[in-house]
Amino acid sequence: MKFRYPEKVLQSQSSLIREVAQRGKTIHGFLSFAMGNPARESIPVGLIEECVTEVFKEDPMAVLQYGPMAGDAELTKWVTERVINAKGAKREDNHAMVLTGSGKALGLLPRTLCGEGDEAFCDAFTFPNSFHSMRNVGATPIGIPMDDDGMIPDALEKEAKRGKGKYIYLIPNFQNPTGMTMPLQRRKELYEVASRYDLVIYEDDPYGDIRFSGKEIPSIKSIDTEDRVLYVGSFSKTLSAGLRVGFLYGPDDLVNKISKVKSADGQDPIFNQKIIYRCLQKMDYEEHLKKISGIYGRKCGLMADTLKANCPDCCKILVPEGGMFIWVDLPEDADIDKISEETIAGGVGVVKSEAFAVDSTNKGHGFRLNFSASEDEDIVKGSERFGKLLQKYF
Amino acid sequence: MKFRYPEKVLQSQSSLIREVAQRGKTIHGFLSFAMGNPARESIPVGLIEECVTEVFKEDPMAVLQYGPMAGDAELTKWVTERVINAKGAKREDNHAMVLTGSGKALGLLPRTLCGEGDEAFCDAFTFPNSFHSMRNVGATPIGIPMDDDGMIPDALEKEAKRGKGKYIYLIPNFQNPTGMTMPLQRRKELYEVASRYDLVIYEDDPYGDIRFSGKEIPSIKSIDTEDRVLYVGSFSKTLSAGLRVGFLYGPDDLVNKISKVKSADGQDPIFNQKIIYRCLQKMDYEEHLKKISGIYGRKCGLMADTLKANCPDCCKILVPEGGMFIWVDLPEDADIDKISEETIAGGVGVVKSEAFAVDSTNKGHGFRLNFSASEDEDIVKGSERFGKLLQKYF
């Protein structure tokens, strides 16, 4: 039969990120900086194995039968306390929900807040699933121009004035793909615009706990006097990406509605949540974060130094204070598509800015490089390769 | 702030099923037949424990790092072969996708097929998440009248004529809540209506492998010459509900679009899928199904016999040929709300038909009783209690 899809589903949204990784598989000696996998050595494999065994043995039926729709109560409580204590969130009129990966919230918020024809705002270059999810519900994502501090408040206001917007998606710490961290002043300014136009703020913070330089900046949630911020976090970068455990913390009313939408999808696996909770009980999580931030910082430094030594001077290398990505900005007239093809053929996988562009007519002129997933030796080799290739152009 | 939700999200959809179970917790000696949990003794705990350990030990990084977006390739292949071999599906132009619980498909299909203002059809009394999911995308669920063979084709046609329908949701085997199995002839008739009005059929078959009497009836997927059937199955009732592994099998084009919508939600946990696949490798699954169907059949018989011996003659007791529910139909003028309150106060949890009603003005006059989750002794005691309570009314 010929299926009659709604317009929202017919829009193309292939992943250029996975495409680079896939194409690299056919190239001998290919070094990929494309995917955002956590550093292998930062995953506490032995501890997780212990927890897997213990959780199963202690009460097999608790993991094998249907569980509570709301997720594991102990982990939910742990998350609540941490978001309050470590991220400065207030306790009153807000609550937490555990999710199968923080990415699930990318779909849940627009499903809860947006009808067809609504708009939602995000950085002009950002994590693609954030705007794919907006499109999936028939809402229009509007990419807002950025400067060195992130989304530009005046540019946001210009779009918000139309009155069709429902929420703003932001990654204030070590943004994906640019690695940029938003200063407190900018966070406050954007909050004011949100307040003026009655917008929810989706504060996505998957990388926030991996800071290896600079000083921590208060979360937007911590300045959320009007209960308009949904703070979303993850254990994917700090404990295990494959177990898929993330969470959100936000205003009671909003979280209750999200929960209602979510419950029609059925339950999430409770085993994974219990494994993560057990890990948190058995480890010093804050110490663990310091340790892995050290690993990430060293890898970042290695890539940054190699890029600086090998890239032409006209390239702007954005070295982040945390997270897992370095952004290399090329001159505006650079032929990004051609360079991208040549890097892949030349055996190094970097992702061109187009992969993160909300607006396909504004493809940008940069590349995202992941430094967490590769071994030191490959970081150096691949960065050299990339830098030398760029030298041919500039 | 005051959140501006779209109309679709503001509709009430609380779960009367969970409400019964919750209220029962405060009543001493309460016997609950409310939830649809699988029989404890049918879960191969020892085997699953072995598989958990083996899967983790063999390749920890395969379960702890990001995995393939499409889910575990081996399990996907296994599912494909089984749907073809055991359910008569054709191989060409169709493919499988593994999901975190088959319930995820309840949300994915309307998200993929329906825009706001579309309609979707289901039995007048059915699994509530199926029509909650339709409402969540702004589509209108239309409950179609049923007779002893299930959904009535003429009644479906009357509604389909409007031309606004996108798909039909059906549970042809041991329907939830009625336990009813749809004969082949009816399946064919409904398929013809679907064909005439260009509708997709969502064939939900979570219970199909638990048949303890009667003869297997060919799946709708097996008569799907036009590639319009999405067959959805689960390991929740046969191996473990808590691990949350289900699957769908359907037309390439449709499954590709579903996959696109789903990918914006991020990945599913691969560990759970690998555990299920390992179990399937180490066990004789078809033998296991025979064994657990025996357990379910015995429990069903016990409840049916006790109900027959204790309920007034005017009650119609629908004994299913499989699955996990018995339906007790009361006379049309019965005061279901009052009886429901009295059963709960009297210490037995059964779920009134309203919990499954698409149309809140047509609440029905029956009760669903689950026989799988309780011990034999409690099945007898609770069914007696329920029957004796009904005797006061009729």
Side-chain angles (χ1 to χ4, degrees):
Chain A
M1 74 178 282
K2 186 150 168 35
F3 299 98
R4 294 169 289 133
Y5 302 107
E7 194 51 39
K8 62 186 177 187
V9 169
L10 292 172
Q11 302 166 86
S12 159
Q13 52 182 49
S14 63
S15 167
L16 287 177
I17 305 173
R18 287 192 177 248
E19 195 192 308
V20 172
Q22 279 305 317
R23 287 177 61 189
K25 282 184 184 160
T26 62
I27 296 169
H28 182 71
F30 192 80
L31 298 171
S32 178
F33 300 144
M35 304 292 289
N37 276 18
R40 197 185 163 87
E41 61 270 38
S42 70
I43 305 174
V45 181
L47 173 68
I48 298 177
E49 184 174 356
E50 263 177 57
C51 295
V52 165
T53 309
E54 286 180 21
V55 166
F56 193 97
K57 269 198 197 303
E58 268 179 31
D59 188 356
M61 284 302 154
V63 304
L64 295 178
Q65 278 282 21
Y66 285 114
M69 192 61 100
D72 186 65
E74 288 178 311
L75 182 58
T76 306
K77 203 175 151 205
W78 188 96
V79 161
T80 305
E81 296 308 316
R82 185 157 196 279
V83 176
I84 292 168
N85 297 326
K87 306 295 168 186
K90 66 170 192 154
R91 187 181 299 277
E92 303 73 33
D93 308 318
N94 280 267
H95 70 274
M97 187 195 294
V98 176
L99 303 169
T100 297
S102 70
K104 287 286 181 289
L106 294 173
L108 285 168
L109 188 65
R111 288 167 74 191
T112 305
L113 267 189
C114 298
E116 289 172 12
D118 282 342
E119 293 177 352
F121 309 111
C122 56
D123 290 323
F125 297 89
T126 190
F127 182 43
N129 279 353
S130 70
F131 54 85
H132 291 165
S133 296
M134 297 170 188
R135 291 199 178 114
N136 281 345
V137 299
T140 306
I142 311 282
I144 308 292
M146 309 151 79
D147 62 17
D148 287 351
D149 289 342
M151 186 181 280
I152 301 172
D154 284 350
L156 170 65
E157 179 143 29
K158 210 179 118 202
E159 303 287 345
K161 271 186 178 150
R162 268 194 306 282
K164 295 170 81 178
K166 284 294 183 71
Y167 71 96
I168 316 170
Y169 174 80
L170 292 170
I171 314 170
N173 294 318
F174 329 127
Q175 199 252 14
N176 181 5
T178 63
M180 196 183 278
T181 294
M182 189 184 286
L184 179 58
Q185 183 55 29
R186 179 61 59 90
R187 297 179 190 212
K188 287 180 177 168
E189 287 162 11
L190 289 170
Y191 190 86
E192 276 167 30
V193 179
S195 178
R196 221 144 44 227
Y197 297 93
D198 207 20
L199 303 168
V200 170
I201 295 177
Y202 184 132
E203 181 176 22
D204 202 4
D205 197 21
Y207 317 111
D209 287 324
I210 303 176
R211 173 178 280 281
F212 41 75
S213 70
K215 249 191 80 179
E216 196 174 337
I217 294 170
S219 69
I220 309 181
K221 189 67 197 163
S222 74
I223 56 167
D224 182 24
T225 49
E226 302 168 335
D227 293 332
R228 61 175 68 254
V229 177
L230 187 71
Y231 179 87
V232 180
S234 177
F235 297 103
S236 285
K237 322 298 177 189
T238 61
L239 286 173
S240 159
L243 290 179
R244 316 296 306 124
V245 183
F247 58 86
L248 55 80
Y249 184 84
D252 290 337
D253 186 54
L254 181 61
V255 176
N256 287 339
K257 287 285 188 304
I258 290 174
S259 162
K260 204 179 92 169
V261 169
K262 183 177 169 296
S263 72
D265 290 344
Q267 285 169 34
D268 286 328
I270 201 89
F271 190 21
N272 307 249
Q273 298 177 13
K274 284 183 181 293
I275 294 167
I276 292 291
Y277 179 67
R278 180 61 59 107
C279 285
L280 294 167
Q281 290 304 100
K282 292 175 75 113
M283 79 198 299
D284 183 333
Y285 188 58
E286 307 301 333
E287 270 308 308
H288 172 72
L289 294 180
K290 275 186 210 156
K291 195 185 113 195
I292 67 172
S293 297
I295 297 172
Y296 279 67
R298 192 180 45 72
K299 289 189 161 202
C300 178
L302 207 55
M303 181 176 272
D305 291 346
T306 318
L307 288 172
K308 283 175 189 165
N310 288 279
C311 290
D313 288 342
C314 61
C315 301
K316 195 170 147 193
I317 296 159
L318 269 76
V319 185
E321 296 186 341
M324 39 177 67
F325 304 111
I326 287 182
W327 183 252
V328 178
D329 212 33
L330 303 193
E332 284 191 32
D333 58 351
D335 188 344
I336 298 291
D337 289 338
K338 197 176 163 204
I339 298 174
S340 174
E341 283 305 307
E342 203 163 323
T343 52
I344 295 171
V348 57
V350 299
V351 187
K352 58 183 176 184
S353 41
E354 183 186 354
F356 312 95
V358 181
D359 176 357
S360 59
T361 65
N362 174 20
K363 295 180 178 181
H365 38 83
F367 287 98
R368 185 189 82 171
L369 283 73
N370 167 277
F371 54 78
S372 58
S374 306
E375 304 296 325
D376 291 5
E377 190 191 345
D378 291 343
I379 291 175
V380 173
K381 226 156 79 182
S383 305
E384 268 176 13
R385 223 179 254 180
F386 180 61
K388 286 189 174 136
L389 215 140
L390 289 180
Q391 283 180 18
K392 297 203 313 191
Y393 284 84
F394 305 102
Chain B
M1 75 178 282
K2 184 149 172 33
F3 299 99
R4 295 169 289 133
Y5 302 107
E7 194 52 39
K8 62 186 179 188
V9 169
L10 292 173
Q11 303 166 86
S12 159
Q13 53 182 49
S14 63
S15 168
L16 288 176
I17 306 172
R18 287 192 177 248
E19 194 192 309
V20 172
Q22 278 306 317
R23 286 177 60 189
K25 282 184 184 162
T26 63
I27 295 167
H28 182 72
F30 191 79
L31 298 171
S32 177
F33 300 145
M35 303 294 287
N37 275 19
R40 198 186 163 87
E41 61 270 39
S42 71
I43 305 175
V45 182
L47 172 68
I48 298 176
E49 184 175 356
E50 261 177 58
C51 295
V52 165
T53 309
E54 285 180 22
V55 165
F56 193 97
K57 267 197 196 304
E58 268 179 31
D59 188 357
M61 284 302 153
V63 305
L64 296 179
Q65 278 282 21
Y66 284 113
M69 192 61 99
D72 186 66
E74 288 178 312
L75 182 58
T76 306
K77 202 175 152 205
W78 188 97
V79 161
T80 304
E81 296 307 316
R82 185 156 196 279
V83 176
I84 291 168
N85 297 326
K87 306 295 168 188
K90 68 170 190 153
R91 186 182 300 277
E92 303 73 35
D93 307 319
N94 280 267
H95 71 272
M97 187 195 294
V98 176
L99 304 168
T100 296
S102 70
K104 286 286 179 290
L106 294 172
L108 286 169
L109 189 64
R111 288 168 73 192
T112 306
L113 267 188
C114 298
E116 288 172 13
D118 282 342
E119 293 177 350
F121 309 112
C122 56
D123 290 323
F125 297 90
T126 191
F127 182 44
N129 279 353
S130 70
F131 53 84
H132 290 166
S133 297
M134 296 169 189
R135 289 198 180 117
N136 281 345
V137 299
T140 305
I142 311 282
I144 308 293
M146 308 151 79
D147 61 17
D148 287 351
D149 290 342
M151 185 182 281
I152 301 173
D154 285 349
L156 170 64
E157 180 143 26
K158 210 180 118 203
E159 303 288 344
K161 270 185 179 150
R162 266 195 306 281
K164 295 171 81 179
K166 283 294 182 73
Y167 71 96
I168 315 170
Y169 174 79
L170 293 169
I171 314 170
N173 294 318
F174 330 128
Q175 199 250 14
N176 181 7
T178 64
M180 194 184 280
T181 294
M182 189 185 286
L184 180 58
Q185 183 55 29
R186 179 61 59 90
R187 297 178 190 212
K188 286 180 177 167
E189 287 161 11
L190 289 171
Y191 191 87
E192 277 166 30
V193 179
S195 179
R196 223 147 38 231
Y197 296 94
D198 207 19
L199 303 168
V200 169
I201 296 177
Y202 184 132
E203 181 177 22
D204 202 4
D205 198 22
Y207 316 112
D209 287 325
I210 304 177
R211 173 178 279 282
F212 42 75
S213 70
K215 250 191 78 179
E216 195 174 336
I217 293 170
S219 69
I220 309 180
K221 189 68 199 163
S222 74
I223 56 169
D224 182 24
T225 50
E226 302 168 336
D227 293 332
R228 62 174 68 256
V229 178
L230 187 71
Y231 179 88
V232 180
S234 178
F235 297 102
S236 285
K237 323 298 176 187
T238 61
L239 287 173
S240 160
L243 290 179
R244 316 297 305 123
V245 184
F247 58 87
L248 56 79
Y249 183 84
D252 290 336
D253 186 53
L254 181 61
V255 176
N256 288 339
K257 287 286 188 303
I258 290 175
S259 160
K260 205 179 92 169
V261 169
K262 182 176 170 294
S263 72
D265 290 344
Q267 284 170 36
D268 286 329
I270 200 89
F271 190 22
N272 307 248
Q273 299 178 12
K274 284 183 180 294
I275 294 166
I276 292 291
Y277 178 68
R278 182 59 61 106
C279 284
L280 293 167
Q281 291 302 101
K282 292 177 75 114
M283 78 196 301
D284 183 335
Y285 189 57
E286 306 301 333
E287 270 308 308
H288 172 72
L289 294 180
K290 275 187 208 154
K291 197 186 112 195
I292 67 172
S293 296
I295 297 173
Y296 279 68
R298 191 179 47 70
K299 289 188 159 201
C300 178
L302 206 56
M303 180 176 274
D305 291 348
T306 316
L307 288 173
K308 282 174 189 163
N310 288 280
C311 290
D313 289 342
C314 62
C315 301
K316 196 170 146 193
I317 296 158
L318 269 76
V319 185
E321 296 185 340
M324 39 178 67
F325 303 111
I326 287 182
W327 183 252
V328 178
D329 213 30
L330 302 192
E332 284 191 31
D333 58 352
D335 188 344
I336 298 290
D337 288 339
K338 197 177 163 203
I339 298 174
S340 174
E341 283 305 308
E342 203 162 321
T343 51
I344 295 171
V348 56
V350 299
V351 187
K352 59 183 175 183
S353 40
E354 184 186 352
F356 311 95
V358 181
D359 176 356
S360 59
T361 66
N362 174 20
K363 294 181 178 181
H365 38 83
F367 286 99
R368 185 189 84 169
L369 283 73
N370 167 278
F371 54 78
S372 59
S374 305
E375 303 298 325
D376 291 5
E377 192 191 343
D378 291 342
I379 291 175
V380 173
K381 227 156 78 180
S383 306
E384 270 176 13
R385 222 178 256 179
F386 180 61
K388 287 191 172 132
L389 216 140
L390 290 180
Q391 284 179 19
K392 297 203 312 192
Y393 283 84
F394 305 101

